[in-house]
Amino acid sequence: MTTIAKFLAVTIDCAEPKKLAEFYSKITGFEVQYAEDEYAGIGDGTVSIYFGRVPDRKPAAWPGPDKQFHLDFRVPDVEKAVEEYLELGATKPEFQPGQGWIVLADPEGHLFCVCPEGS
């Protein structure tokens, strides 16, 4: 039998961990648990998102084959959430691959989807 693992966290490479932790803290409601120049983390006590400093990291082109991951977030009102996230520093790529959800990029270019609650 395979040992079952519980998901703990995801770590995102970025140039400015503290700033990215603050951005994701605002959109998720997760508390900033740790914030230093080299490493930062947010979480809700069960799941965490960590941010590790990689100064020369370059965001993948979108759309394109170099994208390695993206995060998905459910919200009660997609359009309102997108408006708020853009005000916080996210950007909206021109290419949108579907309907009902919207792809955004965080301030360092990592992609994430804003999805309706029923998805």
mmCIF file with all atom_site columns, all heavy atoms in Angstrom, residues 19-40:
data_model
loop_
_atom_site.group_PDB
_atom_site.id
_atom_site.type_symbol
_atom_site.label_atom_id
_atom_site.label_alt_id
_atom_site.label_comp_id
_atom_site.label_asym_id
_atom_site.label_entity_id
_atom_site.label_seq_id
_atom_site.pdbx_PDB_ins_code
_atom_site.Cartn_x
_atom_site.Cartn_y
_atom_site.Cartn_z
_atom_site.occupancy
_atom_site.B_iso_or_equiv
_atom_site.pdbx_formal_charge
_atom_site.auth_seq_id
_atom_site.auth_comp_id
_atom_site.auth_asym_id
_atom_site.auth_atom_id
_atom_site.pdbx_PDB_model_num
ATOM 1   N N   . LYS A 1 19 ? 6.809  40.833 -0.474 1.00 0.00 ? 19 LYS A N   1
ATOM 2   C CA  . LYS A 1 19 ? 5.777  41.524 -1.260 1.00 0.00 ? 19 LYS A CA  1
ATOM 3   C C   . LYS A 1 19 ? 4.760  40.541 -1.839 1.00 0.00 ? 19 LYS A C   1
ATOM 4   O O   . LYS A 1 19 ? 3.565  40.808 -1.827 1.00 0.00 ? 19 LYS A O   1
ATOM 5   C CB  . LYS A 1 19 ? 6.410  42.342 -2.382 1.00 0.00 ? 19 LYS A CB  1
ATOM 6   C CG  . LYS A 1 19 ? 7.092  43.594 -1.884 1.00 0.00 ? 19 LYS A CG  1
ATOM 7   C CD  . LYS A 1 19 ? 7.584  44.433 -3.029 1.00 0.00 ? 19 LYS A CD  1
ATOM 8   C CE  . LYS A 1 19 ? 8.244  45.693 -2.511 1.00 0.00 ? 19 LYS A CE  1
ATOM 9   N NZ  . LYS A 1 19 ? 8.740  46.547 -3.592 1.00 0.00 ? 19 LYS A NZ  1
ATOM 10  N N   . LEU A 1 20 ? 5.239  39.398 -2.310 1.00 0.00 ? 20 LEU A N   1
ATOM 11  C CA  . LEU A 1 20 ? 4.307  38.427 -2.880 1.00 0.00 ? 20 LEU A CA  1
ATOM 12  C C   . LEU A 1 20 ? 3.453  37.791 -1.786 1.00 0.00 ? 20 LEU A C   1
ATOM 13  O O   . LEU A 1 20 ? 2.264  37.534 -1.989 1.00 0.00 ? 20 LEU A O   1
ATOM 14  C CB  . LEU A 1 20 ? 5.065  37.372 -3.688 1.00 0.00 ? 20 LEU A CB  1
ATOM 15  C CG  . LEU A 1 20 ? 4.311  36.827 -4.895 1.00 0.00 ? 20 LEU A CG  1
ATOM 16  C CD1 . LEU A 1 20 ? 3.799  37.918 -5.815 1.00 0.00 ? 20 LEU A CD1 1
ATOM 17  C CD2 . LEU A 1 20 ? 5.163  35.849 -5.656 1.00 0.00 ? 20 LEU A CD2 1
ATOM 18  N N   . ALA A 1 21 ? 4.030  37.581 -0.607 1.00 0.00 ? 21 ALA A N   1
ATOM 19  C CA  . ALA A 1 21 ? 3.252  37.068 0.524  1.00 0.00 ? 21 ALA A CA  1
ATOM 20  C C   . ALA A 1 21 ? 2.140  38.048 0.888  1.00 0.00 ? 21 ALA A C   1
ATOM 21  O O   . ALA A 1 21 ? 1.000  37.634 1.144  1.00 0.00 ? 21 ALA A O   1
ATOM 22  C CB  . ALA A 1 21 ? 4.155  36.805 1.726  1.00 0.00 ? 21 ALA A CB  1
ATOM 23  N N   . GLU A 1 22 ? 2.429  39.322 0.895  1.00 0.00 ? 22 GLU A N   1
ATOM 24  C CA  . GLU A 1 22 ? 1.407  40.330 1.198  1.00 0.00 ? 22 GLU A CA  1
ATOM 25  C C   . GLU A 1 22 ? 0.295  40.306 0.151  1.00 0.00 ? 22 GLU A C   1
ATOM 26  O O   . GLU A 1 22 ? -0.882 40.394 0.490  1.00 0.00 ? 22 GLU A O   1
ATOM 27  C CB  . GLU A 1 22 ? 2.029  41.729 1.273  1.00 0.00 ? 22 GLU A CB  1
ATOM 28  C CG  . GLU A 1 22 ? 2.826  41.966 2.520  1.00 0.00 ? 22 GLU A CG  1
ATOM 29  C CD  . GLU A 1 22 ? 1.994  41.945 3.792  1.00 0.00 ? 22 GLU A CD  1
ATOM 30  O OE1 . GLU A 1 22 ? 0.806  42.337 3.772  1.00 0.00 ? 22 GLU A OE1 1
ATOM 31  O OE2 . GLU A 1 22 ? 2.543  41.516 4.829  1.00 0.00 ? 22 GLU A OE2 1
ATOM 32  N N   . PHE A 1 23 ? 0.648  40.194 -1.126 1.00 0.00 ? 23 PHE A N   1
ATOM 33  C CA  . PHE A 1 23 ? -0.349 40.141 -2.191 1.00 0.00 ? 23 PHE A CA  1
ATOM 34  C C   . PHE A 1 23 ? -1.285 38.953 -1.979 1.00 0.00 ? 23 PHE A C   1
ATOM 35  O O   . PHE A 1 23 ? -2.509 39.104 -1.957 1.00 0.00 ? 23 PHE A O   1
ATOM 36  C CB  . PHE A 1 23 ? 0.346  40.047 -3.563 1.00 0.00 ? 23 PHE A CB  1
ATOM 37  C CG  . PHE A 1 23 ? -0.612 39.819 -4.698 1.00 0.00 ? 23 PHE A CG  1
ATOM 38  C CD1 . PHE A 1 23 ? -1.316 40.870 -5.249 1.00 0.00 ? 23 PHE A CD1 1
ATOM 39  C CD2 . PHE A 1 23 ? -0.806 38.544 -5.223 1.00 0.00 ? 23 PHE A CD2 1
ATOM 40  C CE1 . PHE A 1 23 ? -2.209 40.663 -6.304 1.00 0.00 ? 23 PHE A CE1 1
ATOM 41  C CE2 . PHE A 1 23 ? -1.688 38.322 -6.272 1.00 0.00 ? 23 PHE A CE2 1
ATOM 42  C CZ  . PHE A 1 23 ? -2.393 39.379 -6.808 1.00 0.00 ? 23 PHE A CZ  1
ATOM 43  N N   . TYR A 1 24 ? -0.708 37.751 -1.829 1.00 0.00 ? 24 TYR A N   1
ATOM 44  C CA  . TYR A 1 24 ? -1.544 36.559 -1.683 1.00 0.00 ? 24 TYR A CA  1
ATOM 45  C C   . TYR A 1 24 ? -2.282 36.533 -0.346 1.00 0.00 ? 24 TYR A C   1
ATOM 46  O O   . TYR A 1 24 ? -3.375 35.982 -0.256 1.00 0.00 ? 24 TYR A O   1
ATOM 47  C CB  . TYR A 1 24 ? -0.725 35.287 -1.899 1.00 0.00 ? 24 TYR A CB  1
ATOM 48  C CG  . TYR A 1 24 ? -0.522 34.980 -3.362 1.00 0.00 ? 24 TYR A CG  1
ATOM 49  C CD1 . TYR A 1 24 ? 0.691  35.237 -3.991 1.00 0.00 ? 24 TYR A CD1 1
ATOM 50  C CD2 . TYR A 1 24 ? -1.561 34.471 -4.136 1.00 0.00 ? 24 TYR A CD2 1
ATOM 51  C CE1 . TYR A 1 24 ? 0.865  34.965 -5.348 1.00 0.00 ? 24 TYR A CE1 1
ATOM 52  C CE2 . TYR A 1 24 ? -1.396 34.207 -5.484 1.00 0.00 ? 24 TYR A CE2 1
ATOM 53  C CZ  . TYR A 1 24 ? -0.183 34.454 -6.081 1.00 0.00 ? 24 TYR A CZ  1
ATOM 54  O OH  . TYR A 1 24 ? -0.028 34.201 -7.426 1.00 0.00 ? 24 TYR A OH  1
ATOM 55  N N   . SER A 1 25 ? -1.735 37.158 0.675  1.00 0.00 ? 25 SER A N   1
ATOM 56  C CA  . SER A 1 25 ? -2.444 37.266 1.945  1.00 0.00 ? 25 SER A CA  1
ATOM 57  C C   . SER A 1 25 ? -3.741 38.053 1.761  1.00 0.00 ? 25 SER A C   1
ATOM 58  O O   . SER A 1 25 ? -4.789 37.686 2.291  1.00 0.00 ? 25 SER A O   1
ATOM 59  C CB  . SER A 1 25 ? -1.551 37.942 2.988  1.00 0.00 ? 25 SER A CB  1
ATOM 60  O OG  . SER A 1 25 ? -2.255 38.182 4.172  1.00 0.00 ? 25 SER A OG  1
ATOM 61  N N   . LYS A 1 26 ? -3.658 39.114 0.967  1.00 0.00 ? 26 LYS A N   1
ATOM 62  C CA  . LYS A 1 26 ? -4.836 39.947 0.736  1.00 0.00 ? 26 LYS A CA  1
ATOM 63  C C   . LYS A 1 26 ? -5.906 39.218 -0.076 1.00 0.00 ? 26 LYS A C   1
ATOM 64  O O   . LYS A 1 26 ? -7.090 39.386 0.182  1.00 0.00 ? 26 LYS A O   1
ATOM 65  C CB  . LYS A 1 26 ? -4.437 41.244 0.050  1.00 0.00 ? 26 LYS A CB  1
ATOM 66  C CG  . LYS A 1 26 ? -3.688 42.180 0.977  1.00 0.00 ? 26 LYS A CG  1
ATOM 67  C CD  . LYS A 1 26 ? -3.209 43.415 0.270  1.00 0.00 ? 26 LYS A CD  1
ATOM 68  C CE  . LYS A 1 26 ? -2.402 44.278 1.227  1.00 0.00 ? 26 LYS A CE  1
ATOM 69  N NZ  . LYS A 1 26 ? -1.699 45.351 0.540  1.00 0.00 ? 26 LYS A NZ  1
ATOM 70  N N   . ILE A 1 27 ? -5.499 38.399 -1.057 1.00 0.00 ? 27 ILE A N   1
ATOM 71  C CA  . ILE A 1 27 ? -6.532 37.757 -1.878 1.00 0.00 ? 27 ILE A CA  1
ATOM 72  C C   . ILE A 1 27 ? -7.062 36.466 -1.259 1.00 0.00 ? 27 ILE A C   1
ATOM 73  O O   . ILE A 1 27 ? -8.157 36.042 -1.597 1.00 0.00 ? 27 ILE A O   1
ATOM 74  C CB  . ILE A 1 27 ? -6.099 37.542 -3.342 1.00 0.00 ? 27 ILE A CB  1
ATOM 75  C CG1 . ILE A 1 27 ? -5.048 36.467 -3.484 1.00 0.00 ? 27 ILE A CG1 1
ATOM 76  C CG2 . ILE A 1 27 ? -5.636 38.847 -3.973 1.00 0.00 ? 27 ILE A CG2 1
ATOM 77  C CD1 . ILE A 1 27 ? -4.848 36.026 -4.934 1.00 0.00 ? 27 ILE A CD1 1
ATOM 78  N N   . THR A 1 28 ? -6.292 35.844 -0.360 1.00 0.00 ? 28 THR A N   1
ATOM 79  C CA  . THR A 1 28 ? -6.756 34.592 0.245  1.00 0.00 ? 28 THR A CA  1
ATOM 80  C C   . THR A 1 28 ? -7.303 34.760 1.658  1.00 0.00 ? 28 THR A C   1
ATOM 81  O O   . THR A 1 28 ? -8.030 33.898 2.140  1.00 0.00 ? 28 THR A O   1
ATOM 82  C CB  . THR A 1 28 ? -5.612 33.559 0.333  1.00 0.00 ? 28 THR A CB  1
ATOM 83  O OG1 . THR A 1 28 ? -4.596 34.073 1.196  1.00 0.00 ? 28 THR A OG1 1
ATOM 84  C CG2 . THR A 1 28 ? -5.050 33.222 -1.032 1.00 0.00 ? 28 THR A CG2 1
ATOM 85  N N   . GLY A 1 29 ? -6.909 35.841 2.332  1.00 0.00 ? 29 GLY A N   1
ATOM 86  C CA  . GLY A 1 29 ? -7.267 35.999 3.735  1.00 0.00 ? 29 GLY A CA  1
ATOM 87  C C   . GLY A 1 29 ? -6.345 35.213 4.656  1.00 0.00 ? 29 GLY A C   1
ATOM 88  O O   . GLY A 1 29 ? -6.517 35.235 5.868  1.00 0.00 ? 29 GLY A O   1
ATOM 89  N N   . PHE A 1 30 ? -5.356 34.506 4.089  1.00 0.00 ? 30 PHE A N   1
ATOM 90  C CA  . PHE A 1 30 ? -4.380 33.780 4.901  1.00 0.00 ? 30 PHE A CA  1
ATOM 91  C C   . PHE A 1 30 ? -3.499 34.792 5.642  1.00 0.00 ? 30 PHE A C   1
ATOM 92  O O   . PHE A 1 30 ? -3.159 35.842 5.110  1.00 0.00 ? 30 PHE A O   1
ATOM 93  C CB  . PHE A 1 30 ? -3.457 32.922 4.035  1.00 0.00 ? 30 PHE A CB  1
ATOM 94  C CG  . PHE A 1 30 ? -4.082 31.678 3.458  1.00 0.00 ? 30 PHE A CG  1
ATOM 95  C CD1 . PHE A 1 30 ? -5.440 31.395 3.572  1.00 0.00 ? 30 PHE A CD1 1
ATOM 96  C CD2 . PHE A 1 30 ? -3.295 30.777 2.781  1.00 0.00 ? 30 PHE A CD2 1
ATOM 97  C CE1 . PHE A 1 30 ? -5.979 30.242 3.029  1.00 0.00 ? 30 PHE A CE1 1
ATOM 98  C CE2 . PHE A 1 30 ? -3.820 29.615 2.229  1.00 0.00 ? 30 PHE A CE2 1
ATOM 99  C CZ  . PHE A 1 30 ? -5.164 29.353 2.359  1.00 0.00 ? 30 PHE A CZ  1
ATOM 100 N N   . GLU A 1 31 ? -3.104 34.436 6.847  1.00 0.00 ? 31 GLU A N   1
ATOM 101 C CA  . GLU A 1 31 ? -2.211 35.297 7.616  1.00 0.00 ? 31 GLU A CA  1
ATOM 102 C C   . GLU A 1 31 ? -0.773 35.127 7.150  1.00 0.00 ? 31 GLU A C   1
ATOM 103 O O   . GLU A 1 31 ? -0.363 34.032 6.760  1.00 0.00 ? 31 GLU A O   1
ATOM 104 C CB  . GLU A 1 31 ? -2.279 34.936 9.096  1.00 0.00 ? 31 GLU A CB  1
ATOM 105 C CG  . GLU A 1 31 ? -3.587 35.299 9.750  1.00 0.00 ? 31 GLU A CG  1
ATOM 106 C CD  . GLU A 1 31 ? -3.573 35.015 11.239 1.00 0.00 ? 31 GLU A CD  1
ATOM 107 O OE1 . GLU A 1 31 ? -2.489 35.063 11.858 1.00 0.00 ? 31 GLU A OE1 1
ATOM 108 O OE2 . GLU A 1 31 ? -4.656 34.740 11.774 1.00 0.00 ? 31 GLU A OE2 1
ATOM 109 N N   . VAL A 1 32 ? -0.021 36.222 7.198  1.00 0.00 ? 32 VAL A N   1
ATOM 110 C CA  . VAL A 1 32 ? 1.412  36.131 6.946  1.00 0.00 ? 32 VAL A CA  1
ATOM 111 C C   . VAL A 1 32 ? 2.016  35.465 8.178  1.00 0.00 ? 32 VAL A C   1
ATOM 112 O O   . VAL A 1 32 ? 1.918  35.970 9.294  1.00 0.00 ? 32 VAL A O   1
ATOM 113 C CB  . VAL A 1 32 ? 2.049  37.511 6.704  1.00 0.00 ? 32 VAL A CB  1
ATOM 114 C CG1 . VAL A 1 32 ? 3.563  37.391 6.568  1.00 0.00 ? 32 VAL A CG1 1
ATOM 115 C CG2 . VAL A 1 32 ? 1.448  38.169 5.455  1.00 0.00 ? 32 VAL A CG2 1
ATOM 116 N N   . GLN A 1 33 ? 2.610  34.308 7.983  1.00 0.00 ? 33 GLN A N   1
ATOM 117 C CA  . GLN A 1 33 ? 3.187  33.532 9.087  1.00 0.00 ? 33 GLN A CA  1
ATOM 118 C C   . GLN A 1 33 ? 4.659  33.847 9.291  1.00 0.00 ? 33 GLN A C   1
ATOM 119 O O   . GLN A 1 33 ? 5.184  33.692 10.384 1.00 0.00 ? 33 GLN A O   1
ATOM 120 C CB  . GLN A 1 33 ? 3.020  32.034 8.813  1.00 0.00 ? 33 GLN A CB  1
ATOM 121 C CG  . GLN A 1 33 ? 1.581  31.611 8.700  1.00 0.00 ? 33 GLN A CG  1
ATOM 122 C CD  . GLN A 1 33 ? 1.433  30.201 8.142  1.00 0.00 ? 33 GLN A CD  1
ATOM 123 O OE1 . GLN A 1 33 ? 2.217  29.745 7.319  1.00 0.00 ? 33 GLN A OE1 1
ATOM 124 N NE2 . GLN A 1 33 ? 0.404  29.511 8.602  1.00 0.00 ? 33 GLN A NE2 1
ATOM 125 N N   . TYR A 1 34 ? 5.317  34.251 8.215  1.00 0.00 ? 34 TYR A N   1
ATOM 126 C CA  . TYR A 1 34 ? 6.754  34.485 8.251  1.00 0.00 ? 34 TYR A CA  1
ATOM 127 C C   . TYR A 1 34 ? 7.088  35.390 7.082  1.00 0.00 ? 34 TYR A C   1
ATOM 128 O O   . TYR A 1 34 ? 6.568  35.188 5.983  1.00 0.00 ? 34 TYR A O   1
ATOM 129 C CB  . TYR A 1 34 ? 7.488  33.145 8.117  1.00 0.00 ? 34 TYR A CB  1
ATOM 130 C CG  . TYR A 1 34 ? 8.989  33.243 8.214  1.00 0.00 ? 34 TYR A CG  1
ATOM 131 C CD1 . TYR A 1 34 ? 9.618  33.323 9.448  1.00 0.00 ? 34 TYR A CD1 1
ATOM 132 C CD2 . TYR A 1 34 ? 9.783  33.259 7.073  1.00 0.00 ? 34 TYR A CD2 1
ATOM 133 C CE1 . TYR A 1 34 ? 10.999 33.410 9.549  1.00 0.00 ? 34 TYR A CE1 1
ATOM 134 C CE2 . TYR A 1 34 ? 11.154 33.342 7.156  1.00 0.00 ? 34 TYR A CE2 1
ATOM 135 C CZ  . TYR A 1 34 ? 11.757 33.419 8.395  1.00 0.00 ? 34 TYR A CZ  1
ATOM 136 O OH  . TYR A 1 34 ? 13.121 33.501 8.492  1.00 0.00 ? 34 TYR A OH  1
ATOM 137 N N   . ALA A 1 35 ? 7.938  36.409 7.303  1.00 0.00 ? 35 ALA A N   1
ATOM 138 C CA  . ALA A 1 35 ? 8.293  37.307 6.207  1.00 0.00 ? 35 ALA A CA  1
ATOM 139 C C   . ALA A 1 35 ? 9.706  37.841 6.388  1.00 0.00 ? 35 ALA A C   1
ATOM 140 O O   . ALA A 1 35 ? 9.956  38.648 7.280  1.00 0.00 ? 35 ALA A O   1
ATOM 141 C CB  . ALA A 1 35 ? 7.297  38.456 6.120  1.00 0.00 ? 35 ALA A CB  1
ATOM 142 N N   . GLU A 1 36 ? 10.599 37.359 5.569  1.00 0.00 ? 36 GLU A N   1
ATOM 143 C CA  . GLU A 1 36 ? 11.981 37.823 5.517  1.00 0.00 ? 36 GLU A CA  1
ATOM 144 C C   . GLU A 1 36 ? 12.324 38.091 4.058  1.00 0.00 ? 36 GLU A C   1
ATOM 145 O O   . GLU A 1 36 ? 11.570 37.722 3.165  1.00 0.00 ? 36 GLU A O   1
ATOM 146 C CB  . GLU A 1 36 ? 12.929 36.769 6.109  1.00 0.00 ? 36 GLU A CB  1
ATOM 147 C CG  . GLU A 1 36 ? 12.697 36.473 7.584  1.00 0.00 ? 36 GLU A CG  1
ATOM 148 C CD  . GLU A 1 36 ? 13.014 37.641 8.501  1.00 0.00 ? 36 GLU A CD  1
ATOM 149 O OE1 . GLU A 1 36 ? 13.854 38.489 8.127  1.00 0.00 ? 36 GLU A OE1 1
ATOM 150 O OE2 . GLU A 1 36 ? 12.424 37.715 9.589  1.00 0.00 ? 36 GLU A OE2 1
ATOM 151 N N   . ASP A 1 37 ? 13.480 38.680 3.817  1.00 0.00 ? 37 ASP A N   1
ATOM 152 C CA  . ASP A 1 37 ? 13.874 38.982 2.446  1.00 0.00 ? 37 ASP A CA  1
ATOM 153 C C   . ASP A 1 37 ? 14.029 37.727 1.594  1.00 0.00 ? 37 ASP A C   1
ATOM 154 O O   . ASP A 1 37 ? 13.733 37.747 0.404  1.00 0.00 ? 37 ASP A O   1
ATOM 155 C CB  . ASP A 1 37 ? 15.183 39.772 2.425  1.00 0.00 ? 37 ASP A CB  1
ATOM 156 C CG  . ASP A 1 37 ? 15.005 41.195 2.949  1.00 0.00 ? 37 ASP A CG  1
ATOM 157 O OD1 . ASP A 1 37 ? 13.870 41.704 2.931  1.00 0.00 ? 37 ASP A OD1 1
ATOM 158 O OD2 . ASP A 1 37 ? 16.010 41.785 3.364  1.00 0.00 ? 37 ASP A OD2 1
ATOM 159 N N   . GLU A 1 38 ? 14.486 36.631 2.180  1.00 0.00 ? 38 GLU A N   1
ATOM 160 C CA  . GLU A 1 38 ? 14.754 35.415 1.428  1.00 0.00 ? 38 GLU A CA  1
ATOM 161 C C   . GLU A 1 38 ? 13.584 34.433 1.379  1.00 0.00 ? 38 GLU A C   1
ATOM 162 O O   . GLU A 1 38 ? 13.528 33.579 0.498  1.00 0.00 ? 38 GLU A O   1
ATOM 163 C CB  . GLU A 1 38 ? 15.980 34.695 2.004  1.00 0.00 ? 38 GLU A CB  1
ATOM 164 C CG  . GLU A 1 38 ? 17.268 35.483 1.888  1.00 0.00 ? 38 GLU A CG  1
ATOM 165 C CD  . GLU A 1 38 ? 17.686 35.740 0.449  1.00 0.00 ? 38 GLU A CD  1
ATOM 166 O OE1 . GLU A 1 38 ? 17.601 34.813 -0.379 1.00 0.00 ? 38 GLU A OE1 1
ATOM 167 O OE2 . GLU A 1 38 ? 18.100 36.878 0.151  1.00 0.00 ? 38 GLU A OE2 1
ATOM 168 N N   . TYR A 1 39 ? 12.669 34.549 2.322  1.00 0.00 ? 39 TYR A N   1
ATOM 169 C CA  . TYR A 1 39 ? 11.605 33.548 2.426  1.00 0.00 ? 39 TYR A CA  1
ATOM 170 C C   . TYR A 1 39 ? 10.421 34.139 3.183  1.00 0.00 ? 39 TYR A C   1
ATOM 171 O O   . TYR A 1 39 ? 10.588 34.886 4.145  1.00 0.00 ? 39 TYR A O   1
ATOM 172 C CB  . TYR A 1 39 ? 12.133 32.316 3.175  1.00 0.00 ? 39 TYR A CB  1
ATOM 173 C CG  . TYR A 1 39 ? 11.367 31.054 2.926  1.00 0.00 ? 39 TYR A CG  1
ATOM 174 C CD1 . TYR A 1 39 ? 11.454 30.387 1.714  1.00 0.00 ? 39 TYR A CD1 1
ATOM 175 C CD2 . TYR A 1 39 ? 10.554 30.522 3.908  1.00 0.00 ? 39 TYR A CD2 1
ATOM 176 C CE1 . TYR A 1 39 ? 10.749 29.205 1.482  1.00 0.00 ? 39 TYR A CE1 1
ATOM 177 C CE2 . TYR A 1 39 ? 9.849  29.347 3.690  1.00 0.00 ? 39 TYR A CE2 1
ATOM 178 C CZ  . TYR A 1 39 ? 9.954  28.695 2.482  1.00 0.00 ? 39 TYR A CZ  1
ATOM 179 O OH  . TYR A 1 39 ? 9.260  27.537 2.256  1.00 0.00 ? 39 TYR A OH  1
ATOM 180 N N   . ALA A 1 40 ? 9.223  33.812 2.745  1.00 0.00 ? 40 ALA A N   1
ATOM 181 C CA  . ALA A 1 40 ? 8.012  34.271 3.423  1.00 0.00 ? 40 ALA A CA  1
ATOM 182 C C   . ALA A 1 40 ? 6.955  33.191 3.290  1.00 0.00 ? 40 ALA A C   1
ATOM 183 O O   . ALA A 1 40 ? 7.052  32.311 2.423  1.00 0.00 ? 40 ALA A O   1
ATOM 184 C CB  . ALA A 1 40 ? 7.523  35.590 2.809  1.00 0.00 ? 40 ALA A CB  1
#
